[in-house]
């Protein structure tokens, strides 16, 4: 299209994008603009729009387009075109433009500087062209700031050798020049408004390692950065970035020479003094100062332990941050307190620094507890989740305090806060949370404070939040209780009382579970009392209570009676339900009973004296689950609960179930055939995983598993007839099942009637648009093809024999019949359609397919000495033209085909996988660069 026409069309599309009245109109405009950006006409059109009187949206789009084209399609310009565009960009920046346009033009110019090797000294040229005015110098600083970042921009399509040469030319040995430039800018009154940009440039060059600390020090930039912390919000943020970058570079390194170490020590002293003096900073900069202090603490933790007095100001500042900072600032200190505790504990107990820092941690407990306090205002659900996560971070700080200053000191302070008379519930609850958070570091033999804590719990005011917190304290200290049996009766009564309180019931069930797990021998004689708790538990807490009672029943002196008392009533009620009408209420109740009984059987470690009883319980329970699967397989509650229950039976009671394994497999297959529910594929995968243990004869068991796979395949494949993307969950579960079946019994599975259809369906399934389903399909392909590659290698190596059990002829035959379609789906997916996260699996599958296609037919026919076939190369030659040139230019397609042929002939399959991943990454970068 003519240049004027193209410009008009772009402006019309932009108007539709920003002013369109319908979503469809805006989507069409966006799609058209994205396609236009990929054309060669986009260069001239974008330049024309920038030179016109078009509006800000159009000029921003034009600048974005030029930058995207420079990153992805720079080779289209040629040497003359590149020089012309460079001059045009510089001229646009000289004449001035709106800030968003300037930002995109500066980035585009930097991306051009990275790639244009004929441009000898971009930095000096830009300074000369633009540095004669204050506005121009501000643009220069922005350009210099982004150079280190754009040099690492992975969206720029550039080979590694050229990149190495260019980054050295742009950035190598230029730190001193940049430091001098920044110092001049910071000392120029006309550039006062640009101080934030100048400090940001300093941060960029230091962070990327292109400016040394000696250069920073020589130019006096550290003082300027510290002073910037007192500036306005933008300047303070940029100054904090710069100071943090400097601090990070001052970390001690064993490889530092004497000169470097001296520079670091001097700069550390300067920064530490500056930070200590900034405690009276302007309120605007307070959050940035907390950030800088946290960075200093992490970077200097070794120095702090070595000379605590010298860095007392930094440490005290971080304590104040814990005491008074906002949550976001406090969270920045968590890593420091944990790392400092580790370093302190490495020193001798008599070390002065250890004694001094122990006092710091002791004082930290009160500050941390204050941060745990529930706010007075009502929180939204999202705010509660954020606060809950924050509290756990504070809890880690409290654990560190216990490690450094000792259990008695830290726990004692938390207890004192909880025991304060007339304390608000928020303060007492925060103290109880602190006690619970310390639990991981409190030894079971602690005798000083924990008895006082346990004595305090029943005396707390009857506030539901306090009751909840106290119950969780009991749950956290059940290992301590195991060594203090005198507290078991009180705790059991406390927990039982909470089971009837809706606000506390969940915590009570959790506490009962942990108490029974850790103190089962102490509760063994109380199992009859626990029957009442079991019966009174809410439905939501029933599983936790069942787990709790399983531990106690197994430890009871009369374990058989306890197990029978807990489980038989569940089975009896379930049997009654199964014999009646299964309406919604009955199904929900049956599912709950299955959950309870399944949890009990999962965790009851029955002694030998009760083994026969448990076997009978399992034998009686399976027919009930079978009846439910037969009668109401589509019920949501029953399908989930029955599947989880059967999973417990097959994984933990396989020997008791051996006589009915064929029935179990048939029930699962029938349930899926009737409903298509994903949960039955999940259950089948669990059965297949333990198949060898389900029969005395392992081969017979694996044959059962393969038959189950075959039946499920026959039922599943028609459900995928329209699109795998319409059923991503079913796709994921089916191919996870296939992967597991191929792991367990590859030859038997490959011999089933449905396997050829499954093979072909797996090719079609590569189009699924769900990440997890995509990953499952690709892992199934890896499981099909990677073993074939290994077995082919064994056959080619005449010194070793391949096991006969592997179905190599079948896999080779299917690959020969369907190889082109499979190679096409894998290659097109790897170079564009697949989620980037699955690239390793896709490359592995494609490399394995290449190996099978190259040597499989020869090996199967006994011609192991034959040269590799070029089939995969022929397939690739037919597929590559279908990949858009905007994603993979013709030159790269030719290089890909050449490298593929070389690696196939050399049988370098690991290197082929690496080459595939590198090519995919390059295509991804190019695609990203062209995004609107």
């Amino acid at each position: 299209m003519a240049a004027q026409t193209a410009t008009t069309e772009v402006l019309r599309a932009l108007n539709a994008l920003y002013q369109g009245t319908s979503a469809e109109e805006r989507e069409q405009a966006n799609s058209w603009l994205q396609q236009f950006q990929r054309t060669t006409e986009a260069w001239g059109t974008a330049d024309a729009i920038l030179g016109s009187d078009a509006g800000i949206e159009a000029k921003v789009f034009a600048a974005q387009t030029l930058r995207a084209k420079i990153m992805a399609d720079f080779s289209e310009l040629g040497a003359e075109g590149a020089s012309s565009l460079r001059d045009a960009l510089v001229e646009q920046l000289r004449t001035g433009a709106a800030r968003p346009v300037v930002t995109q033009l500066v980035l585009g110019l930097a991306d051009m500087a990275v790639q244009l090797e004929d441009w000898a000294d971009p930095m000096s040229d830009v300074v000369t062209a633009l540095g004669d005015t204050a506005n121009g110098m501000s643009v220069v600083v922005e350009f210099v700031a982004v150079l280190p970042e754009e040099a690492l921009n992975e969206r720029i399509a550039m080979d590694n050798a050229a990149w190495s040469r260019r980054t050295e030319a742009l950035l190598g040995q230029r730190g001193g020049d940049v430091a001098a430039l920044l110092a001049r800018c910071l000392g120029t009154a006309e550039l006062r408004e640009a101080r934030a940009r100048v400090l940001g440039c300093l941060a960029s060059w230091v962070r990327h390692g292109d400016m040394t600390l000696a250069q920073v020090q020589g130019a006096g930039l550290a003082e300027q950065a510290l002073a910037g912390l007192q500036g306005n919000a933008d300047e303070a943020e940029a100054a904090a970035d710069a100071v943090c970058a400097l601090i990070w570079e001052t970390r001690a390194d064993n490889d530092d020479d004497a000169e470097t170490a001296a520079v670091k020590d001097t700069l550390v002293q300067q920064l530490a003094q500056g930070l200590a003096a900034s405690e009276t900073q302007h309120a605007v900069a307070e959050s940035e100062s907390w950030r800088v202090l946290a960075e200093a603490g992490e970077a200097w933790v070794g120095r702090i332990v070595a000379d605590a007095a010298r860095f007392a100001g930094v440490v005290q500042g971080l304590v104040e941050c814990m005491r008074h900072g906002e949550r976001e600032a406090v969270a920045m200190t968590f890593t420091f307190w944990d790392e400092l505790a580790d370093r302190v504990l490495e020193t001798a107990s008599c070390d002065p620094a250890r004694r001094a820092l122990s006092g710091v941690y002791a004082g930290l407990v009160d500050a941390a507890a204050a941060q745990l306090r529930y706010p007075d205002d009502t929180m939204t659900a999202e705010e509660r989740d954020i606060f809950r996560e924050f509290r756990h971070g504070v809890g880690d700080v409290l654990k560190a305090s216990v490690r450094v200053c000792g259990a008695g000191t830290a726990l004692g302070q938390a207890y004192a806060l909880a025991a304060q008379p007339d304390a608000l519930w928020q303060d007492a609850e925060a103290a109880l949370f602190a006690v619970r958070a310390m639990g991981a570091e409190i030894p079971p033999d602690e005798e000083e404070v924990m008895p006082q804590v346990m004595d305090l719990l029943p005396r707390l005011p009857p506030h539901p939040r306090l009751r909840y917190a106290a119950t969780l304290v009991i749950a956290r200290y059940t290992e301590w209780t195991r060594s203090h049996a005198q507290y078991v009766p009180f705790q059991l009564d406390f927990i039982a009382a909470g089971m009837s309180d809706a606000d506390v019931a969940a915590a009570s069930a959790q506490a009962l579970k942990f108490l029974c797990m850790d103190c089962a021998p102490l509760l063994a004689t109380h199992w009859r009392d626990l029957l009442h708790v079991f019966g009174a538990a809410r439905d939501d807490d029933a599983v936790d209570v069942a787990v709790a009672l399983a531990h106690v029943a197994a430890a009871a002196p009369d374990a058989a009676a306890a197990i029978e008392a807990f489980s038989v009533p569940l089975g009896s009620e379930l049997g009654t339900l199964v014999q009646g009408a299964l309406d919604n209420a009955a199904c929900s109740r049956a599912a709950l009973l299955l959950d309870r009984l399944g949890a009990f059987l999962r965790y009851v470690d029955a002694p030998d004296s009760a083994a026969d009883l448990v076997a009978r319980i399992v034998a009686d329970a399976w027919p009930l689950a079978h009846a439910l699967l037969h009668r109401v397989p589509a019920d949501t509650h029953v399908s989930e609960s029955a599947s989880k229950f059967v999973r417990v039976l097959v994984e933990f009671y396989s020997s008791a179930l051996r006589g009915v394994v064929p029935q179990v497999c048939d029930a699962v297959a029938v349930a899926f055939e009737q409903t298509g529910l994903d949960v039955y594929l999940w259950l089948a995968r669990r059965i297949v995983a333990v198949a060898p243990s389900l029969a005395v004869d392992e081969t017979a068991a694996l044959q059962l598993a393969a038959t189950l796979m075959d039946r499920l395949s026959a039922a599943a494949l028609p459900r995928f007839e329209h699109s795998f993307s319409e059923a991503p969950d079913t796709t994921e579960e089916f191919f996870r099942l296939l992967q597991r079946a191929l792991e367990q019994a590859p030859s038997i599975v490959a011999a089933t009637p449905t396997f050829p259809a499954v093979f072909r369906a797996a090719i079609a399934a590569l189009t699924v648009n769900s990440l997890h389903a995509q990953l499952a399909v690709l892992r199934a392909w890896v499981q099909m093809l990677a073993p074939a590659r290994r077995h082919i290698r064994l056959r080619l190596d005449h010194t070793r024999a391949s096991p006969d059990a592997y179905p190599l002829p079948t896999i080779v035959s299917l690959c020969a019949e369907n190889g082109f379609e499979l190679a096409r789906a894998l290659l097109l997916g790897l170079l564009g359609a697949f989620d980037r996260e699955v690239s390793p699996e896709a490359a592995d599958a494609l490399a394995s397919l290449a190996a099978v296609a190259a040597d499989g037919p020869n090996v199967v026919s006994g011609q192991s000495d034959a040269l590799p076939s070029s089939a995969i190369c022929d397939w690739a030659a037919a597929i590559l033209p279908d990949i858009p040139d905007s994603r993979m230019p013709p030159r790269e397609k030719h290089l890909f085909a050449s490298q593929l042929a070389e690696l196939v002939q050399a049988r370098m399959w690991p290197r082929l996988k690496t080459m595939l991943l590198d090519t995919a990454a390059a295509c991804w970068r190019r695609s990203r660069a062209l995004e609107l």
Side-chain angles (χ1 to χ4, degrees), residues 644-877:
K644 289 188 290 185
F645 181 76
V646 174
R647 174 239 170 165
V648 170
L649 299 187
V650 298
E651 290 188 358
F652 296 95
Y653 298 97
S654 56
S655 59
L657 211 64
R658 283 176 179 169
V660 293
V661 169
Q663 191 181 58
V664 172
C665 293
D666 179 70
V668 174
V670 169
F672 180 76
E673 289 164 353
Q674 293 178 350
T675 68
L677 293 178
D678 309 333
V679 69
Y680 296 122
L681 296 174
W682 171 85
L683 176 57
R685 175 162 54 88
R686 306 309 291 248
I687 293 172
V688 169
V690 297
S693 67
L694 294 176
V696 176
D697 182 353
E698 181 175 328
T699 302
L702 293 176
Q703 183 63 58
L704 280 173
T707 301
L708 175 60
M709 179 74 230
D710 186 53
R711 289 186 61 181
L712 293 173
S713 298
L717 294 184
R719 298 179 183 275
F720 300 132
E721 183 175 352
H722 297 294
S723 170
F724 285 91
S725 295
E726 293 179 3
D729 294 338
T730 305
T731 300
E732 178 185 355
E733 288 296 346
F734 178 78
F735 284 98
R736 292 182 71 186
L737 168 62
L738 176 62
Q739 178 191 359
R740 183 54 58 91
L742 288 168
E743 288 175 357
Q744 290 283 38
S747 291
I748 303 175
V749 171
T752 57
T754 59
F755 186 70
V758 170
F759 190 97
R760 290 187 291 271
I763 299 175
L766 289 168
T767 60
V768 69
N769 59 12
S770 163
L771 169 61
H772 295 294
Q774 211 171 79
L775 190 60
V777 175
L778 285 166
R779 285 177 174 170
W781 272 117
V782 171
Q783 188 60 44
M784 275 191 277
L785 299 175
R789 185 176 87 186
R790 291 193 294 271
H791 283 272
I792 288 171
R793 188 182 70 244
L794 291 174
R795 300 275 187 94
L796 292 173
D797 184 351
H798 298 293
T799 62
R800 293 176 289 177
S802 172
D804 294 331
Y806 187 75
L808 187 60
T810 301
I811 299 298
V812 169
S813 174
L814 289 170
C815 286
E817 294 172 14
N818 306 278
F820 174 75
E821 291 78 9
L822 177 55
R824 178 181 177 83
L826 288 172
L827 187 57
L828 293 180
L830 184 63
L831 301 186
F834 291 157
D835 191 286
R836 197 182 185 201
E837 290 186 31
V838 306
S839 295
E841 287 78 9
D844 197 356
L846 188 51
S848 296
L849 173 62
V852 173
D855 290 312
N858 292 332
V859 165
V860 169
S861 63
Q863 303 175 37
S864 299
D865 294 329
L867 293 174
S869 166
S870 61
I872 189 70
C873 302
D874 297 337
W875 297 338

